[in-house]
Amino acid sequence: MYDSPVGRIESGWQYAGDAVTYTITVPCNRTAEVTLPDGRSLTLQPGTHTL
């Protein structure tokens, strides 16, 4: 978690059996470029995302 000047940025992960679930929160009026360990690159809009 990081409280930036534009809002809170959060990221985390957890195991569920053999799968990994990622949770990412992007502040309002921002986007985030995310590259997952499997090589996928995503552009996330504001809000909380579970991947």
Side-chain angles (χ1 to χ4, degrees):
M1 174 179 55
Y2 175 68
D3 286 320
S4 77
V6 296
R8 181 167 288 178
I9 301 167
E10 292 185 77
S11 66
W13 56 270
Q14 66 181 2
Y15 282 104
D18 290 337
V20 179
T21 301
Y22 302 94
T23 304
I24 301 166
T25 301
V26 181
C28 293
N29 300 317
R30 302 290 178 222
T31 60
E33 299 293 326
V34 177
T35 302
L36 298 173
D38 66 5
R40 290 183 290 160
S41 292
L42 307 168
T43 301
L44 301 179
Q45 300 300 315
T48 300
H49 307 271
T50 302
L51 311 168

